Amino acid sequence: MSESVARTQIPAPEESALAQRTLGVPALVFLIIAASAPLTVLAGGATTSFAVTGETGVPVGYLALGIILVFFALGYGRMSTYVQNAGAFYAYVAAGLGARQGIGTSFLALVTYNAMQIGLYGVFGFTASSIIGDVIGLELPWWVWALAAWLLIGVLGINKIDLSAKVLIVIVSLEFVVVIGVSLLSFGVAPEGISADPFLPMNWLTGSLGALLAFGIAAFMGFESGAIYSEEVKNPKRSVARATYIAVGIIAVFYALSSWAFAIGIGPSEIVAQSQEWGPDLMFVFLEQQVPVVVANLAAALFLTSIFAAMVAFHNAAARYFFSMGRARVLPQYLGATGAQNGAPVAGSMTQTALALVFIIIFAISGTGSEFGPLYPVMTMFPWLTNAAGFGMVLLLCITSVAIMRYFGRDPHNHPLLIRTVAPLVAAIGLGVIAVLIMLNFDVMIESEGFSALVVIIPGVIIGSGIVGLIWGEYLRVKRPEIYQAVRDANIG
């Protein structure tokens, strides 16, 4: 086997080592799926997609995206057996395309994961304020509940990863129970009968197909995160690949079936209009009409914990990127510090926590007296940051696909044609098309009426972060060649 594909484990001093051999495949699958938040996708993502696209073919969008991401996962999973690093995208791109490109990718990934995690505080705060206010009459502003979640996530982040995994296993399991229950109830109600109407070409092979894919990709955010935990799993050469394949399959099929069932429960001819009227509340309105109010309230509470689970998962991912970049000295070295007893990326976690606090404060102040009233965080903080993150994730996946193709292409005799060329090429093309579609539909995604500067600014920040990273990589090459060379050597770029 050539040097370019020698199996590597990024060396790290003891004080900069994550907890070793902590996670098994089941725990890793739950960590991945938690970021995709099954209940949040059905209640929020699917209804939004029905409403905005005006099409019933939302389930087909999930299946199409699943197929593209299966091709990505084939190369991504195999890559995880050769390079284990908490900064997965950064390490893979450095190995495939070079250290400068890897550093540029690390900046892009860091901004993407932080944007997703922080943006979720907006919807969490609003949802908590609404649910708790309705149920027990305690009226508090959204940012109070956002800060409560922020504190709990901060505590989980500086503890051993298996604590977060245990919390997420419970939450995600309950989410699956609720979504399956809603699906079965939907088939039982079926006011227009059970049909394959949402899968018919006339309902998705239209001018809205691009919007279906652009909105649907957010449901898969986090599926790639298995590789981020590659230094903490029991068997990184197998566990990451297996967990990624399982997660992609579950996410694609489960979301397609549950969104189809929900459309049947509301009625294919009504699902678009009802989604436009009620938005994310539609699922709870449906439940209130079919089950005792206590059951509907329980589902609403689990919707809140679903968002919380996603926030924990993205916090962990962002913390590990800070850790990986600090350990490599691409960012200040103190970010590579871990807990002496638990191996948690303490410095990275606390940095992400501090960054989230800054944004919560900014949006809390800026929303004072806003015309949006209590809707302010879900009209600004949530869509702006999470849609930016969705765009950033598609770019990351596309770039990584090219890097994987280049990496395995150096040693073609040891890798099947499907893995080294076909799968990553199909993924790169498909993801590139989705990135363009997101750009074309960005005004719709942030619900902008007419032209808005945000349509340029938000994607510009994402693209700009990668460009800044490339410039920083070139600076390190010229001014700090020992750091640049270490990144290059560690990842066999």
Side-chain angles (χ1 to χ4, degrees), residues 457-488:
I457 294 172
I458 296 176
V461 168
I462 294 297
I463 295 172
S465 67
I467 294 174
V468 169
L470 288 173
I471 294 171
W472 182 247
E474 179 62 17
Y475 170 82
L476 292 177
R477 187 188 70 82
V478 175
K479 300 294 186 179
R480 301 294 302 276
E482 72 282 3
I483 295 177
Y484 185 88
Q485 190 63 38
V487 172
R488 180 185 177 91

Side-chain angles (χ1 to χ4, degrees), residues 156-371:
L156 289 172
I158 59 175
N159 279 279
K160 200 171 183 179
I161 184 61
D162 58 351
L163 176 59
S164 291
K166 290 172 183 176
V167 172
L168 295 181
I169 285 173
V170 174
I171 294 175
V172 174
S173 297
L174 291 173
E175 286 186 64
F176 273 109
V177 170
V178 173
V179 174
I180 291 171
V182 171
S183 298
L184 294 176
L185 182 62
S186 296
F187 284 129
V189 175
E192 299 174 17
I194 298 175
S195 70
D197 186 78
F199 294 101
L200 298 178
M202 68 182 72
N203 292 318
W204 57 269
L205 198 58
T206 65
S208 297
L209 178 60
L212 284 174
L213 296 176
F215 275 95
I217 194 66
F220 293 84
M221 281 286 292
F223 91 92
E224 79 301 329
S225 61
I228 293 173
Y229 302 100
S230 60
E231 296 180 49
E232 298 162 272
V233 295
K234 294 177 181 178
N235 186 350
K237 294 178 181 178
R238 291 187 175 184
S239 297
V240 173
R242 288 180 179 177
T244 301
Y245 300 148
I246 293 170
V248 171
I250 290 175
I251 290 170
V253 175
F254 190 72
Y255 290 170
L257 291 178
S258 59
S259 59
W260 169 52
F262 192 52
I264 296 301
I266 302 297
S269 67
E270 290 293 323
I271 185 64
V272 170
Q274 292 291 315
S275 294
Q276 290 171 341
E277 179 179 354
W278 294 103
D281 285 338
L282 178 59
M283 192 186 84
F284 307 108
V285 172
F286 171 73
L287 286 175
E288 287 173 358
Q289 296 171 348
Q290 307 297 332
V291 299
V293 65
V294 65
V295 177
N297 287 340
L298 180 59
L302 288 173
F303 176 54
L304 189 61
T305 60
S306 171
I307 301 170
F308 179 81
M311 292 161 69
V312 171
F314 285 115
H315 171 86
N316 287 335
R320 279 155 181 77
Y321 263 95
F322 276 122
F323 161 79
S324 181
M325 295 168 70
R327 180 177 60 182
R329 293 186 295 163
V330 172
L331 289 181
Q333 193 170 6
Y334 76 86
L335 290 171
T338 57
Q341 301 299 320
N342 58 24
V346 174
S349 178
M350 294 179 69
T351 301
Q352 202 286 322
T353 299
L355 190 61
L357 178 61
V358 170
F359 274 84
I360 291 172
I361 292 173
I362 289 173
F363 278 91
I365 294 173
S366 63
T368 303
S370 169
E371 62 181 4

Side-chain angles (χ1 to χ4, degrees), residues 104-162:
T105 301
S106 71
F107 277 61
L108 174 59
L110 197 59
V111 171
T112 294
Y113 280 113
N114 275 286
M116 177 56 73
Q117 201 275 342
I118 295 170
L120 288 172
Y121 279 106
V123 71
F124 179 90
F126 169 80
T127 304
S129 179
S130 176
I131 292 174
I132 295 172
D134 290 343
V135 174
I136 65 175
L138 180 60
E139 301 287 347
L140 292 173
W142 71 270
W143 52 265
V144 172
W145 300 111
L147 287 174
W150 167 83
L151 181 61
L152 184 53
I153 291 169
V155 171
L156 289 172
I158 59 175
N159 279 279
K160 200 171 183 179
I161 184 61
D162 58 351

